[in-house]
């Protein structure tokens, strides 16, 4: 039996925090190929009569700024603390309309590219009378159960599918399914809620280009699947850092994560590894994410006596969470003594281990100041660093 589609509204979910993707900015506001993911998603839903864009509380202005073109078919709504609640808020809005649409597509902005073919298959399913339809992909890997790192039975995969969005529904059925869903139970998509009240959910062929961006590395993969030139126009950043610590007698001396035998050591809140502090600032600088003091305040007792390598690991992870990689680092240590030369390769090796780089991307240099200034008087050691970082998108 055919169905008349008298109005198709898309609910575009963009109220998540994007925690797993990291990067300090919720993923829907990050850019690929010069447009925000949200903008890509809105464009790929252009065939809907109306788009309800569900954003986190207080973020309507931010969302509007993330769109290149605003049109009258876009309406911003405030979402909830879970995906399910965000859908529910959009449905509450629809329920107040004098003439709600006949059909709804619920879509994740974390899947910014909806191929026309998928849209057409979903609409065709609705026109054929389906109450619910969703795109799926077959599972291609072998699936196995396992506990504590030990594999158990293989799970037959021929009747298993990976579920994508947009998911298409008759509006009245979607409203009823949300009303009937037990409060306190989490549903990760809407089709399962329709099934729970006895509706059949039709599966149509999904598409790899619809893969969800969940982790930092997914940006590059999804961009490549959609033919965006992300890899060919890398976003290369350079940051610089500078730090000084006072030399005092009888303290251990740490430089570049290596303990060096010397009459004096550096004083500071942490282990006072001046070279690593400069390097961390260089990395944070390249990311435009403030400085070491902001991320590890000296007032915080947690970091008293801490190994500075912890700060470097943190900076390394900030780069990874932005989908980037460190291309090269260059450190200059400024002191009269000790001599850095004999330790240079150990230092490069140590930094290489922490940063998961080959030592040929790590330069450690040293200079004296010819007896001039505070370094010349051996009152302290200074270090400066540059970091070159390749970000994608
Ligand atoms: N979503 C939403 N409201 C929420 C939670 C999620 O609208 N309270 C949306 C997200 O914006 C995303 C989609 O649901 O487009 C799928 O969720 P997910 O991939 O989990 O995104 P996030 O929740 O943002 O990411 P994370 O779980 O890593 O924090
Ligand atoms: Mg989530």
């Amino acid at each position: 039996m055919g169905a008349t589609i008298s109005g198709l509204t898309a609910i575009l979910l963009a109220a998540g925090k994007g925690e797993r993707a990291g990067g300090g900015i919720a993923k829907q506001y990050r850019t690929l190929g010069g447009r925000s993911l949200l903008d890509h998603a809105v464009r790929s839903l252009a065939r809907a009569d109306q788009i309800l864009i569900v954003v986190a509380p207080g973020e309507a202005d931010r969302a509007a700024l993330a769109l290149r073109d605003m049109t009258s078919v876009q309406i911003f709504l405030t979402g909830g603390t879970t995906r399910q609640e965000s859908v529910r808020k959009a449905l509450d809005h629809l329920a107040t309309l004098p003439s709600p649409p006949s059909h709804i597509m619920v879509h994740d902005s974390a899947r910014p590219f909806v191929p026309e073919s998928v849209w057409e298959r979903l609409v065709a399913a609705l026109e054929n009378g389906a109450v619910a339809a969703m795109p799926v992909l077959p599972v291609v890997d072998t699936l196995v159960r396992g506990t504590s790192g030990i594999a158990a039975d293989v799970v037959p995969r021929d009747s298993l599918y990976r579920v994508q969005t947009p998911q298409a529904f008759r509006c009245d059925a979607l409203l009823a399914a949300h009303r009937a869903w037990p409060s306190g139970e989490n549903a990760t998509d809407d089709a399962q809620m329709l099934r729970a009240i006895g509706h059949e959910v039709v599966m149509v062929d999904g598409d790899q280009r619809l893969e969800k961006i969940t982790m930092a590395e997914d940006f590059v993969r999804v961009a490549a699947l959609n033919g965006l030139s992300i890899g060919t126009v890398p976003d290369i950043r350079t940051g610089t850092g500078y730090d000084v610590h006072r030399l005092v007698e009888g303290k251990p001396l740490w430089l570049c994560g290596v303990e060096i035998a010397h009459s004096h050591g550096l004083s500071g809140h942490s282990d006072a590894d001046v070279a690593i502090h400069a390097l961390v600032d260089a990395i944070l600088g390249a990311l435009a994410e403030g400085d070491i003091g902001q991320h590890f305040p000296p007032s915080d007792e947690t970091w008293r006596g801490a190994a500075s390598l912890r700060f470097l690991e943190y900076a390394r992870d900030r780069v990874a969470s932005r989908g980037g990689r460190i291309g090269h680092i260059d450190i200059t240590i400024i002191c009269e003594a000790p001599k850095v030369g004999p330790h240079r390769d150990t230092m490069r090796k140590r930094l290489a281990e922490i940063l998961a780089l080959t030592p040929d991307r790590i330069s450690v240099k040293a200079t004296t100041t010819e007896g001039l200034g505070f370094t010349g008087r051996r009152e302290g050691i200074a270090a400066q660093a540059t970091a070159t970082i390749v970000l994608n998108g």
Side-chain angles (χ1 to χ4, degrees):
M1 197 188 68
T4 319
I5 296 193
S6 60
L8 188 53
T9 288
I11 295 176
L12 179 59
L13 296 170
K17 294 201 173 83
E19 276 169 346
R20 284 169 291 174
I25 305 172
K27 58 195 176 187
Q28 58 271 31
Y29 299 118
R30 291 188 40 194
T31 55
L32 275 184
R35 284 181 186 274
S36 65
L37 292 197
L38 186 66
D39 199 24
H40 283 296
V42 166
R43 283 157 58 86
S44 70
L45 296 175
R47 286 160 76 178
D49 298 307
Q50 185 168 65
I51 307 178
L52 305 180
I53 305 173
V54 188
V55 300
E59 292 206 332
D61 287 346
R62 181 183 190 186
L65 281 174
L67 301 180
R68 279 211 198 155
D69 315 298
M70 286 291 299
T71 73
S72 58
V73 302
Q74 299 158 7
I75 293 179
F76 291 104
L77 299 174
T78 302
T81 52
T82 62
R83 181 189 187 280
Q84 183 183 333
E85 239 181 84
S86 293
V87 178
R88 179 67 173 270
K89 296 265 191 120
L91 296 179
D92 288 345
H93 167 81
L94 286 176
T96 65
L97 298 181
S99 57
S102 64
H103 293 84
I104 307 279
M105 295 267 192
V106 182
H107 185 53
D108 297 335
S109 59
R111 303 176 192 271
F113 305 99
V114 183
E116 276 197 20
S117 51
V118 173
W119 181 271
E120 278 161 12
R121 288 195 278 274
L122 290 166
V123 170
L126 294 179
E127 283 171 347
N128 284 332
V131 173
M134 62 182 184
V136 298
L137 285 180
V139 173
V140 292
D141 294 317
T142 297
L143 294 177
V144 69
R145 287 185 213 285
T147 40
S148 317
I150 304 297
D153 299 342
V154 165
V155 182
R157 67 181 176 212
D158 32 316
S159 62
L160 290 179
Y161 295 89
R162 295 193 294 133
V163 174
Q164 301 183 315
T165 74
Q167 297 185 347
F169 305 102
R170 223 174 58 202
C171 183
D172 58 345
L174 181 61
L175 284 166
H178 270 262
R179 269 190 224 113
W181 188 259
S183 66
E185 242 180 76
N186 184 39
T188 50
D189 74 346
D190 301 278
Q192 60 192 268
M193 301 166 96
L194 275 276
R195 273 203 73 237
I197 59 166
H199 290 297
E200 232 170 42
V201 177
V202 172
M203 299 196 293
V204 304
D205 286 342
D207 196 300
Q208 277 206 18
R209 289 170 288 176
L210 258 179
E211 292 285 354
K212 185 154 78 73
I213 295 181
T214 305
M215 313 307 258
E217 57 272 21
D218 297 339
F219 282 89
V220 182
R221 198 167 45 84
V222 170
L225 284 167
N226 285 281
L228 285 179
S229 57
I230 187 168
T232 56
V233 192
D235 179 4
I236 295 180
R237 312 280 193 91
T238 305
T240 68
Y242 177 76
D243 195 25
V244 173
H245 280 273
R246 184 182 292 278
L247 277 167
V248 290
E249 241 180 301
K251 282 207 95 181
L253 176 62
W254 288 90
L255 288 173
C256 294
V258 176
E259 188 173 4
I260 293 172
H262 191 50
S263 58
H264 289 62
L266 292 170
S267 80
H269 185 62
S270 62
D271 66 9
D273 188 329
V274 66
I276 288 196
H277 294 184
L279 177 57
V280 169
D281 260 357
I283 295 172
L284 292 174
L287 296 175
E289 288 193 16
D291 60 28
I292 190 169
Q294 244 171 290
H295 294 265
F296 302 98
S299 55
D300 186 342
E301 282 305 309
T302 323
W303 310 114
R304 181 165 295 286
S308 296
L309 286 175
R310 299 265 306 278
F311 307 152
L312 187 58
E313 285 166 355
Y314 172 86
R316 171 199 70 195
D317 294 345
R318 297 294 313 156
V319 175
S321 72
R322 293 272 297 268
R325 64 185 167 81
I326 298 173
H328 175 258
I329 62 173
D330 185 17
I331 297 173
T332 304
I333 298 168
I334 305 157
C335 61
E336 299 293 324
K339 290 239 166 299
V340 170
H343 306 285
R344 187 197 312 269
D345 285 337
T346 319
M347 291 173 170
R348 292 173 70 209
K349 218 172 132 239
R350 188 81 190 102
L351 296 173
E353 276 164 18
I354 302 292
L355 298 173
L357 294 176
T358 48
D360 66 340
R361 293 181 181 274
I362 296 177
S363 154
V364 175
K365 316 194 298 301
T367 185
T368 70
T369 49
E370 302 278 327
L372 297 171
F374 70 88
T375 50
R377 293 190 297 271
R378 303 173 186 231
E379 291 164 8
I381 297 182
Q384 59 188 39
T386 63
T388 306
I389 285 174
V390 185
L391 289 184
N392 298 297

